[in-house]
Amino acid sequence: MVRLFFQSNSGCGWLYWGVFNIVIEVTERKEVEKELREAKEQLEVATTAGSVGIWVWDLETDLVTADTTVAETFGIDSETAAAGTSLDDYIASIHQDDKDQMQQALEAAVNETDEFEAEYRVRNVNGNERWVLARGEVEYDANGNQIRMNGALLDITERKHQEKERRKQAELDAFRVTLIDELRPIADPVEMQHEAARVIGEQLDVDRALYGEVLEDGNTNLVHADYYRGNVPSLVGKHYLDEYGQYITEGFQAGETLVINDFSTVSELGDEEQTRYLQMDICAWIGVPLIKDGRLTAYFIVNQSTSREWTDTEIAMIEETAERTWAAVQRTQAEQALQESEKRLQQTNASLERLNAANQELINADTEAISDRVAELVLDILNVECAALWHYDETTGELQENACHTNSEIDPVAIRLPDQFSEQVWQTFIGDDIDIDNDLDTPENASGSLLRSRVLVPLGRHGVICAGSTRAGTFDEQTIGLVETIAATVKTAWDRAEGEQELKRQNQELERLDQLNTLIRQIDQALVRADTVTEIDQSVCERLADSDLFEFAWIGEFDAIRETIEPRQWAGINSRIVEDRTITIDDSATNQNPVAATVATRDPQVVADIATDRRIGSCREAILEEGARSCISIPLLYEETLYGVLTVYIAQPQPNERNQHVLDELGRTVAHAIHAAQKQETAQTDSVVELTLQFQAPGTVLARLARDADVKLQFKGIVPAKNGFSHIFFTGDQTSGNEIQNAGADLSEITALTCVAEDDEACMYKATVSTSTIVSQLATQKGAVRTLIFDRNTAVAVVDLPSAADVRCYIDDLQRTYSSVQLTSRRSCDRSPETVQDVQMAIKEPLTDRQVGVLKLAYLSGFFESPRENTGQEIADMLDVSPPTFTQHLRAAQQKVFALTFDEE
């Protein structure tokens, strides 16, 4: 037996490496020399490794004895180790992951190889973990039985650390090469961030990886792109550091890499913050902040939805990724900024060229073309994603979006503006200042839109231009200058176009007025020549239909008994459309045929667009085929008597307002002509129907005056005055003058009451009244009032009607106003032209209405009495004209009356 002892260079004492049975025989020398060489090599390894201990495992007692080095390594008392202790005491200190490997190696040495070697980790009583290399060899007795295993223990912790560092560095180098290779060809910062996140995410097999940019406020941060897998959601978008929790925010701002294996174990985070991370499927997490120039500018984060023990190599890879991503992003952003600057310069030059072309286009454009083209031109000139024109309607006073254009590559829904945006447009319009917002991606502007910047530019009284971009900061000083130039160009073009349009409109209006005046003169001349109602109707309809201003016209006859209107004359329209047409009057004028509504309301009715207005009825399509798009129905009304309805059709929708005024005036002229024609027919008729009518408490002003004064009054005549007033002349008993004056003073309808003439029996009074009188109802186109007497609570009238007149219709018309009217007598009378009434009609016929009124007022006021009961000045005051004007009208009337008497001679 030979024992070999070695002393280590570290002075750890004697090393017992092994006990070998060496039989000194010549034939075995080479074997011994070989073993010695191996022992030397093992010694060199042990010396290089550091601390070395020896141990002996007694296979018969299963006890292990060891020196102090081994005892300290396994955390066993030195004396206990020297005396021998169970192998299990040593195995208990070995790392759980290495126990099976060590036991398998021991079993193999005992059962098969006689040699033992294993590397494993040992944790001593202080909790320190060391890596060791154990080697051993089985020893046999003379009978070949295994008796013990002799071995050595080498501490290889430092070597393991060096190997780990080498592996870590090698992994880092390989990862760095991969990361650089993947990022090198990318020129877009966002794509670069996404690729960096993907590379580290796949390298570390994590659920999510992302790079975030921190804005200058130190709190807002943007994630443009991220890597995620499975059901883990993306975190692309805007975030705020203060939402992450104070622990993470302060760590980031301090520039510390934060490593969290399980968020639920981080006591620095509150329950709400931990819940937020849980909702984002984050359990394990590493965050690497990037501090540049003393400010947190970015960060890189990887996370896992389950807990995880992060290694130093993984942490180093993430830090490497964060730093290289930031550098690469900064480089590409700088390159992009340079390229963008050059591109913007080129775009500006191109925009100026397009602006010049747009200016040429707008020079000759009208307002409608400008309105249609502005948004599209702004979109093209500024090269933005959307542009809109908000036009101010001076008629309605409203500012509304008139046109909106978007880039063909953009979904209009994706760049929608917030609901309150119209208020901002209005403020720009009334404030007349440019409104710029280069960062729409803020909480107060959050609307889910892709727009990141926009500008509002006022166009004076025309409206506002809105331009928007999906890029933040688009509207810099240079672009705003271009925007102002565009606005000035559009405003100038619009002002010019409106001026030209207004001049054209005025010329058209003058031309149309000339046409209207010519048409009215022609109709007036035709009315003068017409002797009958039929001739009047025919002249009016034909001249309206022949005019370039109108398409066709027809006049309807109102039947008060049947409550219907039927055409009695038409021109310019197919007869089948109107000849058998009957329109019924409803109880209400609402939503009924416009002709019926004209009868019901006695007011003109306008149909702005026949194509959309259903009130026209079943003939609507036929009328449209005739070329009409709008129509106006005018009542033929004279002194509250309806002589029919004139309906005129126009080729354009929305008839000119002046058309309505002119036609309304024409309607009164035609009604007066019809009234005169029917009066003449009545005067020239030898046979008339004389009606005696009685009214119970009719309620008119003379009826109330007779009742209040308790006298009998006889109507003598009426002269129209201005502003709807009338002068009524009547006689009363001479002894009742005071009662009449007192009663008249109490009636609000009488504004003035004077006695204009008197004799021994009666007085002639003139009352100026503001209300309609019963005479206007009695003296319709069908009748002439012969006498009218008011006696306290009743009124009795004698009226002559043409023999062909419809007495029932006449009475029904009266009863609509005076329900108590009764027909007390009716008889037919023959009158010769020599009667007094015929003479009166012959005298009045050549006089104008004004001349009749002046002559009648002068006569009734006693102007021709001697001495005069009222002077010319007083009569002029009654007429509200100057004395010369009164004299002029009076002499013209006298001249015509005298001409009737003496011209025949």
Side-chain angles (χ1 to χ4, degrees):
M1 296 286 293
V2 178
R3 297 180 182 272
L4 301 177
F5 295 91
F6 305 93
Q7 187 175 15
S8 69
N9 294 336
S10 60
C12 296
W14 291 100
L15 167 63
Y16 175 78
W17 171 250
V19 179
F20 304 95
N21 292 319
I22 303 175
V23 178
I24 307 302
E25 294 180 356
V26 176
T27 57
E28 296 178 353
R29 182 178 299 277
K30 291 183 178 182
E31 258 184 60
V32 172
E33 291 176 354
K34 179 181 178 182
E35 291 176 358
L36 289 174
R37 285 196 302 271
E38 292 177 351
K40 182 178 180 181
E41 292 174 357
Q42 292 173 352
L43 177 61
E44 291 175 354
V45 172
T47 302
T48 302
S51 301
V52 178
I54 60 174
W55 53 272
V56 176
W57 176 25
D58 190 326
L59 297 176
E60 295 179 350
T61 64
D62 199 29
L63 296 177
V64 178
T65 57
D67 63 6
T68 303
T69 299
V70 175
E72 290 177 353
T73 300
F74 283 90
I76 297 175
D77 181 71
S78 299
E79 293 182 359
T80 301
T85 184
S86 170
L87 179 63
D88 291 340
D89 292 340
Y90 289 90
I91 293 177
S93 299
I94 296 175
H95 194 283
Q96 185 65 37
D97 295 342
D98 301 332
K99 284 183 179 181
D100 292 341
Q101 175 191 346
M102 189 275 296
Q103 289 178 335
Q104 290 173 4
L106 285 176
E107 291 176 0
V110 172
N111 298 324
E112 301 174 14
T113 63
D114 292 343
E115 292 182 351
F116 163 73
E117 181 174 333
E119 292 181 0
Y120 47 85
R121 288 162 291 175
V122 177
R123 185 177 289 107
N124 60 24
V125 292
N126 297 323
N128 297 325
E129 190 172 87
R130 309 290 293 175
W131 275 95
V132 297
L133 170 63
R135 289 179 177 173
E137 185 176 299
V138 177
E139 181 182 351
Y140 292 84
D141 59 12
N143 297 324
N145 297 318
Q146 293 179 339
I147 57 174
R148 65 179 63 86
M149 181 181 291
N150 304 303
L153 188 72
L154 289 79
D155 188 331
I156 58 173
T157 302
E158 186 62 28
R159 191 187 80 188
K160 281 290 187 180
H161 285 169
Q162 291 175 358
E163 291 176 355
K164 181 179 180 181
E165 285 299 320
R166 284 196 298 272
R167 287 195 304 271
K168 173 183 175 182
Q169 192 60 46
E171 289 184 35
L172 279 175
D173 291 343
F175 174 73
R176 185 180 296 113
V177 170
T178 300
L179 181 62
I180 292 173
D181 289 344
E182 295 292 339
L183 297 183
R184 183 183 294 111
I186 301 176
D188 179 70
V190 174
E191 185 181 352
M192 184 172 291
Q193 294 171 30
H194 178 268
E195 188 62 17
R198 182 194 65 79
V199 171
I200 189 65
E202 292 180 351
Q203 175 71 28
L204 301 184
D205 192 29
V206 295
D207 292 330
R208 186 191 288 115
L210 58 92
Y211 176 88
E213 295 181 6
V214 181
L215 304 185
E216 292 187 359
D217 62 5
N219 184 41
T220 307
N221 55 96
L222 303 176
V223 177
H224 298 292
D226 60 354
Y227 164 82
Y228 58 95
R229 66 181 184 181
N231 295 325
V232 175
S234 170
L235 293 183
V236 169
K238 182 184 294 185
H239 306 276
Y240 301 93
L241 287 179
D242 54 15
E243 295 178 348
Y244 299 164
Q246 185 176 0
Y247 167 69
I248 291 177
T249 302
E250 291 179 351
F252 270 10
Q253 291 173 343
E256 300 175 0
T257 296
L258 301 179
V259 180
I260 298 175
N261 296 329
D262 190 339
F263 262 106
S264 63
T265 64
V266 182
S267 59
E268 291 84 353
L269 294 175
D271 293 341
E272 183 178 346
E273 293 161 343
Q274 288 189 352
T275 299
R276 185 180 300 115
Y277 283 106
L278 181 62
Q279 291 173 344
M280 292 188 292
D281 291 324
I282 299 176
C283 184
W285 183 89
I286 293 180
V288 179
L290 289 159
I291 305 294
K292 303 298 177 182
D293 298 328
R295 185 180 72 84
L296 176 64
T297 59
Y299 57 80
F300 207 102
I301 291 174
V302 299
N303 54 65
Q304 187 100 355
S305 58
T306 58
S307 60
R308 175 168 176 166
E309 292 284 340
W310 302 101
T311 67
D312 294 341
T313 303
E314 292 171 340
I315 296 171
M317 285 182 177
I318 298 171
E319 290 175 337
E320 177 77 15
T321 303
E323 190 64 41
R324 289 198 174 274
T325 302
W326 180 84
V329 168
Q330 292 298 306
R331 184 188 72 253
T332 54
Q333 287 179 340
E335 293 173 353
Q336 271 194 344
L338 179 60
Q339 295 173 358
E340 186 68 23
S341 178
E342 295 175 351
K343 181 179 178 181
R344 288 181 70 83
L345 179 59
Q346 295 174 354
Q347 289 177 343
T348 300
N349 293 334
S351 296
L352 290 174
E353 293 179 2
R354 291 192 294 269
L355 177 59
N356 183 55
N359 188 30
Q360 295 299 317
E361 177 184 347
L362 295 178
I363 283 178
N364 299 316
D366 57 22
T367 56
E368 184 176 353
I370 293 173
S371 177
D372 292 340
R373 286 284 290 151
V374 164
E376 190 173 357
L377 290 174
V378 171
L379 186 77
D380 183 49
I381 294 171
L382 296 182
N383 193 29
V384 291
E385 281 71 30
C386 73
L389 169 67
W390 291 68
H391 182 234
Y392 180 69
D393 189 331
E394 295 181 348
T395 304
T396 63
E398 294 182 355
L399 185 67
Q400 294 182 334
E401 186 177 15
N402 180 71
C404 181
H405 286 270
T406 58
N407 189 302
S408 58
E409 299 177 357
I410 296 293
D411 181 5
V413 177
I415 55 175
R416 64 186 180 280
L417 292 164
D419 295 337
Q420 68 275 17
F421 185 68
S422 59
E423 179 63 27
Q424 294 175 270
V425 178
W426 176 257
Q427 291 301 323
T428 299
F429 176 71
I430 63 176
D432 204 31
D433 292 322
I434 295 179
D435 183 3
I436 308 166
D437 193 336
N438 273 319
D439 185 15
L440 289 174
D441 195 19
T442 57
E444 57 272 18
N445 288 330
S447 63
S449 173
L450 295 180
L451 283 184
R452 291 296 173 265
S453 55
R454 62 110 181 104
V455 64
L456 297 174
V457 191
L459 294 175
R461 60 189 176 84
H462 306 297
V464 176
I465 290 175
C466 172
S469 173
T470 57
R471 306 179 303 277
T474 295
F475 300 102
D476 54 18
E477 185 176 351
Q478 184 178 3
T479 306
I480 291 301
L482 186 59
V483 169
E484 290 176 330
T485 304
I486 295 173
T489 300
V490 172
K491 185 175 180 296
T492 301
W494 212 323
D495 288 340
R496 174 203 52 75
E498 281 192 342
E500 293 178 355
Q501 185 172 318
E502 178 61 20
L503 180 60
K504 181 178 179 181
R505 188 195 64 78
Q506 290 176 356
N507 291 335
Q508 291 175 341
E509 179 68 12
L510 289 174
E511 182 180 352
R512 194 178 62 80
L513 282 175
D514 184 60
Q515 289 179 303
L516 271 177
N517 291 332
T518 301
L519 175 62
I520 295 303
R521 284 196 300 270
Q522 293 173 349
I523 294 177
D524 287 343
Q525 293 170 2
L527 292 178
V528 170
R529 293 192 296 268
D531 294 325
T532 65
V533 174
T534 300
E535 291 176 353
I536 293 172
D537 289 346
Q538 186 175 358
S539 298
V540 171
C541 290
E542 287 179 352
R543 280 163 176 75
L544 287 172
D546 291 341
S547 170
D548 293 335
L549 299 174
F550 308 107
E551 292 298 303
F552 47 87
W554 67 278
I555 294 177
E557 175 76 17
F558 172 54
D559 187 333
I561 302 300
R562 294 185 297 161
E563 294 287 326
T564 58
I565 306 109
E566 294 182 353
R568 71 175 185 234
Q569 191 62 250
W570 58 85
I573 188 173
N574 194 315
S575 298
R576 63 178 176 79
I577 300 177
V578 294
E579 60 184 350
D580 295 327
R581 187 180 183 197
T582 300
I583 300 173
T584 302
I585 310 297
D586 297 333
D587 293 337
S588 171
T590 304
N591 292 327
Q592 66 174 318
N593 186 284
V595 178
T598 301
V599 173
T601 64
R602 299 300 200 267
D603 291 324
Q605 300 293 318
V606 178
V607 176
D609 192 344
I610 296 174
T612 59
D613 197 323
R614 303 288 177 176
R615 293 180 298 162
I616 299 298
S618 59
C619 63
R620 183 167 63 96
E621 293 184 4
I623 292 176
L624 288 172
E625 291 177 358
E626 292 287 325
R629 285 297 303 274
S630 61
C631 67
I632 303 175
S633 294
I634 303 295
L636 303 181
L637 196 65
Y638 179 73
E639 293 186 352
E640 300 184 7
T641 300
L642 185 67
Y643 291 90
V645 177
L646 169 64
T647 303
V648 182
Y649 294 83
I650 306 165
Q652 301 80 25
Q654 299 294 336
N656 188 283
E657 186 176 349
R658 186 176 294 275
N659 282 346
Q660 180 178 338
H661 296 324
V662 171
L663 291 174
D664 193 17
E665 183 65 30
L666 177 62
R668 288 192 290 272
T669 302
V670 173
H672 183 271
I674 295 175
H675 171 77
Q678 290 191 343
K679 279 287 187 181
Q680 187 173 358
E681 288 178 4
T682 302
Q684 294 175 349
T685 302
D686 292 339
S687 178
V688 298
V689 177
E690 180 186 274
L691 304 179
T692 302
L693 305 173
Q694 181 172 318
F695 301 82
Q696 294 295 328
T700 63
V701 61
L702 289 184
R704 288 197 296 273
L705 182 62
R707 183 190 64 224
D708 294 347
D710 194 18
V711 296
K712 180 185 293 186
L713 303 177
Q714 182 171 1
F715 172 79
K716 302 301 289 183
I718 181 170
V719 179
K722 290 186 176 180
N723 301 323
F725 286 80
S726 300
H727 300 308
I728 300 177
F729 292 85
F730 60 92
T731 59
D733 185 72
Q734 206 273 346
T735 60
S736 304
N738 291 334
E739 289 81 355
I740 293 174
Q741 290 287 353
N742 292 334
D746 293 335
L747 292 176
S748 60
E749 296 92 337
I750 299 179
T751 58
L753 178 62
T754 58
C755 177
V756 296
E758 60 180 323
D759 55 26
D760 293 339
E761 296 181 358
C763 292
M764 174 80 75
Y765 293 92
K766 177 179 73 68
T768 303
V769 300
S770 59
T771 59
S772 62
T773 65
I774 195 173
V775 180
S776 61
Q777 287 289 103
L778 293 172
T780 65
Q781 73 272 28
K782 301 173 182 177
V785 180
R786 297 187 64 186
T787 62
L788 176 59
I789 299 174
F790 297 91
D791 186 4
R792 297 172 179 85
N793 293 323
T794 62
V796 178
V798 178
V799 180
D800 284 346
L801 294 181
S803 59
D806 188 336
V807 175
R808 179 182 176 185
C809 180
Y810 179 77
I811 299 299
D812 288 343
D813 283 343
L814 285 176
Q815 287 181 337
R816 288 191 181 89
T817 305
Y818 306 102
S819 58
S820 65
V821 66
Q822 293 180 352
L823 177 63
T824 59
S825 71
R826 168 179 174 172
R827 68 189 184 93
S828 297
C829 303
D830 292 330
R831 291 188 293 107
S832 64
E834 289 76 22
T835 62
V836 174
Q837 192 170 14
D838 290 335
V839 173
Q840 291 177 341
M841 294 299 297
I843 292 174
K844 291 180 181 178
E845 195 275 333
L847 302 180
T848 66
D849 289 344
R850 187 63 167 167
Q851 291 167 352
V852 171
V854 170
L855 193 60
K856 186 175 182 180
L857 181 61
Y859 171 73
L860 293 175
S861 300
F863 179 75
F864 299 108
E865 298 291 334
S866 181
R868 288 177 174 170
E869 296 177 357
N870 280 283
T871 66
Q873 177 68 53
E874 291 171 332
I875 302 299
D877 291 342
M878 295 179 192
L879 293 169
D880 195 20
V881 298
S882 65
T885 301
F886 162 69
T887 302
Q888 180 182 357
H889 287 307
L890 182 63
R891 287 179 177 175
Q894 290 172 329
Q895 175 67 25
K896 291 180 180 180
V897 171
F898 294 151
L900 289 173
T901 305
F902 302 114
D903 278 355
E904 184 66 26
E905 296 180 1

